[in-house]
Amino acid sequence: MDTPVEGFSKRSKAEKIAYIAEHFTKDPEASKKLLEQYWNPDPAVQKLHDEFIENTISNYYLPFAVAPNFLINGKLYVIPMAIEESSVVAAASKAAKFWLDRGGFKAKVIDTEKVGQVHFIYKGDVQKLQHFFEALKPKLIQGVSSITQNMEKRGGGIKNIELRDLSDKIEGYHQLHCTFETLDAMGANFINSCLEQFAKTLKDEAASYANFSPEEQQIEVVMSILSNYVPQCLVRAEVSCPIAQFEEGGISAEKFLRAVNIAKAEPYRAVTHNKGIMNGVDAVVLATGNDFRAVEAGVHAYASKDGQYSSLTHASIKDGIFTFWIELPLALGTVGGLTSLHPLVKLGLEILQKPTAKELMQIVAVAGLAQNFAALRSLVTTGIQKGHMKMHLMNMLNQMGASESEKQQLVQYFKDRTVTNASVKEALEKIQSQ
Ligand code: MEV
């Protein structure tokens, strides 16, 4: 297919499907059938999903699971997780159980500040810009009063607006660096609406500021957008217990500590270590309708905040107590966006007892810490493959087309055997030939 398609988004769903199936798949009828099989039988629900994005031709399923027994600040949670990786939920549940018997997780929100910036170019006298900004600031705030009114009533709104001079990096580059409190909303729309109005006020006011020369009056706004780097929207989660109790699980506290310290010291290991944390974080972020790309971007930037990419978790052994903790920047919402639209997201939040954004930050941080605990526990004891391949066994058997009874027999057979692609294939063929 080498001619571009015109007006694709305006075509009906059936036309889009026909176009894709007929031009880009080997068996158009089978492809159409497959796309239809993944539709929701309720047309209203399907319509809802169709309208989340443009050009929807089907639904893409991910398993929606739960990890029970998470004791967080004395309250028991069942955590919903949306993820495809086979061992993640099992690992989370095991970690939850381990710490349930050792006092549970403690979590606290350190701060909830969100950030947005208006990036602009001003090549004139910097002193004059500073004076202009002092006079501008109340006008900026006044200019967004219709946007901020409701948020302010609930205790949120604009926290601060700062003028930043970055002209040493790019000629004339300045910013309005703005901070916000958006309460239970992730706040992207609120922040971006404020920023775009700030930009307009900035430009308009500069154009009539008498102390600026005609050139200085022409401020060029480059863009206005929130930042996904939120180092002041921070949560900490922690577990701790006496070393003897920790080691009842068959893990050496010293070895565990060393594994964490390796990830702190060395970026190759840190990236994988943090990836394991994000297995837990993303699964909950996704199940609760939040933006996992935003979270990923912000978290990894935070992991590099000291100049070298490093571990997001930390551990210590002091006075006979083992402590393991995480600090994560998380901009999350429990109202607005997908949280009030996607039926499973609504259910996910209900399962979590309708948390505030602060509570959700704590839950997500705990999920990340638990996941890292589970990964490190496996890595420093049996190795990761044992548990991983056991969970992966079902995927392999499905891929090899095993029947239900063959699957049952093989799950039993591999209880105390090593799972590899070759060993599973061989065992399946043996059963099938009998
Ligand atoms: C796999 O998805 C995640 C791990 O690699 C994390 C880790 O190595 O810590 C097991």
Side-chain angles (χ1 to χ4, degrees), residues 144 147-148 158 180 189-199:
V144 293
I147 307 171
T148 54
I158 300 157
F180 301 86
N189 282 334
F190 172 77
I191 294 172
N192 288 332
S193 300
C194 287
L195 293 172
E196 288 186 5
Q197 185 55 48
F198 288 164

Side-chain angles (χ1 to χ4, degrees), residues 58-78:
S58 190
N59 302 309
Y60 183 95
Y61 291 178
L62 276 184
F64 180 81
V66 288
N69 295 324
F70 270 95
L71 186 64
I72 305 174
N73 296 339
K75 186 170 163 185
L76 208 52
Y77 289 89
V78 173

